Amino acid sequence: MSTADPNFEADAAREARRERRFTRINAADKWFQVLGLAWITPILKAIAGDNPKAQVSEIWRLAGVPLLAIAGFLALWAALAPTVQTSLGAIPGPVQVWHEAVNLHEDAQDKAASRAKFQEQVATLNERRAAQGQEPIQRAYTGAPSYYAQIWTSIKTVFFGFLIASIVAIPLGIMAGLSPTANAALNPIIQIFKPVSPLAWLPIVTMVVSAAYVTQDGWFAKSFLTSAITVTLCSLWPTLINTALGVASIDKDLVNVSKVLKMNTYTKITKLVLPSALPLIFTGLRLSLGVGWMVLIAAEMLAQNPGLGKFVWDEFQNGSSSSLAKIMVAVLTIGIIGFLLDRVMFALQSLFTFTNNR
């Protein structure tokens, strides 16, 4: 009676565990790429023992080179900034900008504490009034918004405008892609209004909102609606165009199959058109969100609506010794948020669409 080699069984078990480990790493790599963290994969593979020399080279390409480029940019910025003199002094370098970022963070914490103290005082007052049988009072906090509050205001505004743009653009794009007649009708409108600057839309939107939205206690402030509608008018075109292109590019064989199966319009759109056109639709959505974010900052600056754009303009008008550094903090914040918004849309695209690799 023969017995199995214990060494062989141990080697086979180790190899099986190794294969399972690499399978999990490869599965996680798809999401690392979506999140912009592809450099984590070669680190995990190197730890798992997969050709460490090759993985070190990959780590250098994915993480080392970008970090080196950022370091070079910061060094060049630090060297050249003091040589540029403005009416407010020299352009601040990375160290000064970092110090202002820390100051803005501390100021936001102080304002949050002040707001919490105010709300606590109002709550205490209302408790005393309730004990005396009196009606509670409502008092709004009137302190200046913190830097984080202005960031949150801008994010809410751009997502609201982007949502309205998507609700309008996707159905119109599907209609234009399915019907040559609808495409002929929409094309002149797209070509005329797509190049219009947000600075041209803003005065019109401001007057329309002021005339139509006359209530003082509505769900939205007029400034919020003005900025959001301006974002909508400028950001719906990339989604509309890409949706129409995606729908029009559907494989003709699939269209013929839908005719053979006698699909109704709703089933054809939900089961055939949207799944086939989703990659281009999401490309349009990513472009629209990027355009909307840029438009919003310009609209907030021009209309003095709450948000990051107003923060930049106020600091420009302030003219203090720290204004330039604060403006540069805002510029970096705008860029980082724009990158994160694109990553969010890319992650959603990866969830709902399929590629040759997934």
Side-chain angles (χ1 to χ4, degrees):
M1 184 176 179
S2 61
T3 58
D5 185 355
N7 292 332
F8 175 79
E9 291 182 350
D11 291 341
R14 279 195 297 270
E15 185 62 26
R17 287 194 297 270
R18 186 172 180 272
E19 289 296 329
R20 288 194 298 269
R21 192 179 302 122
F22 285 120
T23 299
R24 289 194 292 267
I25 292 174
N26 290 331
D29 177 58
K30 299 169 185 176
W31 293 107
F32 289 149
Q33 293 185 23
V34 168
L35 298 173
L37 302 173
W39 50 271
I40 294 179
T41 301
I43 294 177
L44 295 177
K45 287 184 176 180
I47 294 173
D50 181 20
N51 194 351
K53 184 177 180 180
Q55 299 307 326
V56 168
S57 176
E58 192 70 2
I59 293 170
W60 169 251
R61 183 181 69 85
L62 294 174
V65 173
L67 288 175
L68 186 64
I70 292 173
F73 168 75
L74 292 176
L76 190 64
W77 177 10
L80 295 179
T83 65
V84 181
Q85 295 293 327
T86 71
S87 58
L88 300 178
I91 294 292
V95 175
Q96 294 92 328
V97 171
W98 173 254
H99 285 161
E100 282 306 320
V102 173
N103 291 338
L104 286 172
H105 171 71
E106 293 174 348
D107 177 69
Q109 289 181 318
D110 293 339
K111 287 178 177 177
S114 175
R115 184 186 187 92
K117 182 179 179 180
F118 171 81
Q119 292 173 342
E120 183 180 349
Q121 291 173 343
V122 171
T124 302
L125 175 62
N126 283 331
E127 288 177 2
R128 189 162 57 246
R129 289 175 64 89
Q132 297 171 355
Q134 298 176 340
E135 291 292 326
I137 60 173
Q138 299 293 332
R139 289 183 180 175
Y141 180 71
T142 57
S146 69
Y147 186 62
Y148 295 148
Q150 294 181 83
I151 291 174
W152 179 235
T153 298
S154 291
I155 291 175
K156 288 190 297 184
T157 306
V158 75
F159 268 115
F160 185 81
F162 170 72
L163 179 62
I164 300 301
S166 302
I167 291 173
V168 173
I170 292 176
L172 289 178
I174 293 173
M175 188 188 307
L178 290 176
S179 169
T181 303
N183 184 63
L186 289 172
N187 188 57
I189 298 174
I190 295 171
Q191 299 305 323
I192 291 172
F193 290 113
K194 181 168 66 71
V196 176
S197 167
L199 303 184
W201 280 120
L202 189 59
I204 299 174
V205 173
T206 302
M207 289 187 289
V208 171
V209 170
S210 297
Y213 195 73
V214 295
T215 179
Q216 299 297 325
D217 55 354
W219 287 1
F220 305 107
K222 287 185 178 181
S223 59
F224 175 85
L225 286 177
T226 300
S227 297
I229 293 173
T230 304
V231 168
T232 297
L233 290 173
C234 295
S235 66
L236 63 86
W237 311 112
T239 298
L240 199 162
I241 293 169
N242 278 271
T243 300
L245 178 61
V247 172
S249 302
I250 294 174
D251 192 338
K252 300 303 179 185
D253 291 337
L254 293 176
V255 177
N256 293 332
V257 168
S258 70
K259 293 178 180 179
V260 171
L261 296 176
K262 296 181 180 180
M263 291 182 178
N264 58 41
T265 303
Y266 176 79
T267 303
K268 180 180 178 181
I269 291 175
T270 56
K271 301 297 184 182
L272 174 63
V273 172
L274 285 178
S276 300
L278 269 182
L280 272 174
I281 292 175
F282 268 104
T283 298
L285 290 172
R286 290 174 66 188
L287 291 172
S288 289
L289 188 55
V291 169
W293 183 241
M294 290 188 293
V295 165
L296 175 66
I297 302 303
E300 289 174 344
M301 290 181 67
L302 184 64
Q304 287 293 281
N305 292 335
L308 275 173
K310 185 177 187 301
F311 173 84
V312 171
W313 186 255
D314 287 346
E315 289 301 327
F316 174 71
Q317 295 293 323
N318 184 22
S320 67
S321 58
S322 62
S323 290
L324 272 178
K326 290 181 179 178
I327 291 173
M328 297 189 79
V329 172
V331 168
L332 292 173
T333 302
I334 292 166
I336 292 171
I337 292 175
F339 167 76
L340 294 176
L341 292 177
D342 184 71
R343 287 291 97 186
V344 168
M345 290 305 303
F346 188 43
L348 290 175
Q349 180 177 354
S350 300
L351 281 174
F352 291 104
T353 63
F354 294 90
T355 64
N356 294 331
N357 298 324
R358 191 180 69 81

